[in-house]
Amino acid sequence: MAKILQDTTKSGKQRPWRERKIENVKYADYLEMLHYRKARRVKECGEVLRFIADDEGRLKLAQTWFCKSRLCPLCNWRRAMKQSNQLMQILQVAVGREPKGRFIFLTLTEENASGTELKSRLREMTRAFNRLIKYKKVAKNLLGFVRSTEITVSANETYHQHMHVLLFVKSSYFASSANYLSQAEWTKLWQKARKLDYMPIVHVEAIKSNLKKGKNSLLASAQETAKYQVKSKDILTDNQERDLRVVEDLEQGLAGSRMLGFGGLLRDIRKELQLDADEENENLIDTSGDDEEIGDKVREVVAKWNFERQNYFV
Ligand SMILES: [Zn+2]
């Protein structure tokens, strides 16, 4: 008798294989309706999962095939885990090297874009960010940064593209008004860099440099930076016509864009730790997480997706 796959984390939480695969299939169906050739490949994503199991029955993914399509819910779940784990490794090294350094979490926004504008607006946003960090008052205290773009879909089907940036700065940033940038100043600088004729919304938060859990912690900011570029719930609603338009817009808009960008010390450390594989070559099987560590391998577990019964069976 085939059994339903049970894959839990150390703390006993069920890993969301089934939920993400159901979303993946719906996304693949949309691609098919939109006549994307990759639809078939996307549907095969994570169809067969090979795990190694320890004597307590805990599993570690050993082999599967991931489609790596930018909007794939299954790949994005793995990618977000991997990127936040790797980012934490990088940040830990950075803190070790610059113990006095401080972190600031910036969110840079602009007015929504239409589907056809999205691609060029994302490109302009990246260019504007590169100008922002070169401004003297920003550059003089900057040790490094990591940035990501996120896109949410508004009710009127326009796109809210914004940038999350974790800045690593010298402690002198907070030492005097000649160095410190208020929220109003960040807003003005972003307006200038982005060449906007209106005041954009900018959030600034100082982050506690400890690596423990909690709000305003470095871990929370790393997770926020490394999370989904587009959330599945924004492309998969109960309105199919709307979803098809949104998937089409995002497939076009995100093509060729990069999700994460690193600079300064954080880029150097990422390189040293050899975590700088490009997105095509990224390995989504090993997500570099501590909670994936298991005991000695005692057997292999193979789970296969059943399209009719909508679950993984071993
Ligand atoms: Zn996938």
Side-chain angles (χ1 to χ4, degrees):
M1 245 315 258
K3 279 196 321 194
I4 289 172
L5 170 69
Q6 297 292 338
D7 180 18
T8 52
T9 64
K10 251 185 202 163
S11 53
K13 240 175 88 185
Q14 193 74 238
R15 290 200 173 95
W17 286 109
R18 176 169 188 256
E19 291 79 357
R20 295 294 96 81
K21 183 59 191 170
I22 288 174
E23 292 173 347
N24 155 273
V25 172
K26 193 169 175 185
Y27 166 56
D29 288 341
Y30 284 162
L31 291 176
E32 205 178 326
M33 291 177 215
L34 293 166
H35 307 292
Y36 277 86
R37 276 212 310 235
K38 68 176 179 181
R40 225 189 22 217
R41 282 194 294 119
V42 171
K43 206 164 194 162
E44 287 168 5
C45 182
E47 204 178 327
V48 179
L49 310 172
R50 284 174 199 280
F51 298 92
I52 50 170
D54 65 13
D55 53 4
E56 288 170 31
R58 296 203 45 242
L59 304 182
K60 184 182 171 72
L61 185 64
Q63 200 222 324
T64 188
W65 183 81
F66 287 118
C67 71
K68 295 182 185 173
S69 186
R70 188 59 68 89
L71 298 174
C72 172
L74 199 53
C75 290
N76 278 337
W77 162 54
R78 306 293 297 177
R79 192 175 281 134
M81 268 194 299
K82 173 152 200 160
Q83 286 177 344
S84 91
N85 289 330
Q86 291 194 338
L87 184 52
M88 283 312 286
Q89 282 182 46
I90 293 168
L91 297 177
Q92 274 165 19
V93 175
V95 169
R97 236 171 255 186
E98 294 283 346
K100 285 186 179 157
R102 300 277 302 269
F103 289 94
I104 301 166
F105 191 62
L106 266 186
T107 306
L108 305 169
T109 77
E110 62 181 56
E111 283 178 353
N112 283 19
S114 68
T116 47
E117 287 169 340
L118 189 59
K119 197 181 174 79
S120 61
R121 294 273 292 272
L122 286 169
R123 214 183 295 134
E124 285 162 22
M125 212 173 185
T126 305
R127 283 197 204 118
F129 175 76
N130 292 333
R131 282 192 287 272
L132 176 73
I133 55 167
K134 284 190 190 97
Y135 291 150
K136 217 183 223 164
K137 212 174 164 185
V138 177
K140 69 176 174 184
N141 289 302
L142 189 63
L143 294 166
F145 68 83
V146 52
R147 61 159 178 83
S148 66
T149 37
E150 185 184 349
I151 297 124
T152 57
V153 186
S154 300
N156 63 358
E157 282 178 44
T158 59
Y159 298 89
H160 180 60
Q161 71 284 13
H162 54 283
M163 204 174 257
H164 295 294
V165 193
L166 190 58
L167 296 170
F168 191 34
V169 296
K170 296 177 196 157
S171 58
S172 52
Y173 172 87
F174 289 97
S176 72
S177 59
N179 287 287
Y180 181 77
L181 288 160
S182 68
Q183 193 257 345
E185 284 171 289
W186 276 113
T187 305
K188 259 187 240 153
L189 289 179
W190 177 237
Q191 183 193 24
K192 184 178 154 201
R194 186 64 190 83
K195 299 177 178 158
L196 301 172
D197 57 10
Y198 58 89
M199 274 294 175
I201 294 169
V202 172
H203 296 285
V204 195
E205 243 180 297
I207 298 301
K208 298 187 186 86
S209 296
N210 65 46
L211 297 162
K212 295 193 190 90
K213 283 182 187 163
K215 208 185 165 283
N216 290 346
S217 72
L218 194 49
L219 180 63
S221 317
Q223 283 168 343
E224 182 74 10
T225 311
K227 71 175 186 191
Y228 305 72
Q229 191 171 26
V230 177
K231 289 188 188 84
S232 303
K233 69 167 180 55
D234 273 358
I235 59 164
L236 307 172
T237 68
D238 47 20
N239 181 345
Q240 182 174 300
E241 272 177 53
R242 174 263 183 211
D243 288 357
L244 287 171
R245 287 190 297 267
V246 167
V247 167
E248 178 75 26
D249 283 347
L250 291 171
E251 287 292 334
Q252 303 299 326
L254 296 182
S257 74
R258 290 191 66 166
M259 199 199 138
L260 282 186
F262 290 82
L265 181 62
L266 302 188
R267 182 200 271 157
D268 298 343
I269 293 171
R270 181 166 181 259
K271 213 167 186 172
E272 284 168 37
L273 297 176
Q274 295 181 317
L275 300 177
D276 56 344
D278 58 42
E279 285 172 24
E280 258 101 82
N281 295 317
E282 71 189 336
N283 168 358
L284 296 177
I285 291 173
D286 176 10
T287 60
S288 317
D290 291 340
D291 75 325
E292 289 205 325
E293 292 315 310
I294 62 167
D296 289 339
K297 170 189 170 174
V298 288
R299 66 199 161 89
E300 193 182 60
V301 171
V302 180
K304 194 171 185 297
W305 181 252
N306 183 314
F307 284 92
E308 280 97 62
R309 296 169 73 188
Q310 302 218 331
N311 214 333
Y312 281 103
F313 289 89
V314 176

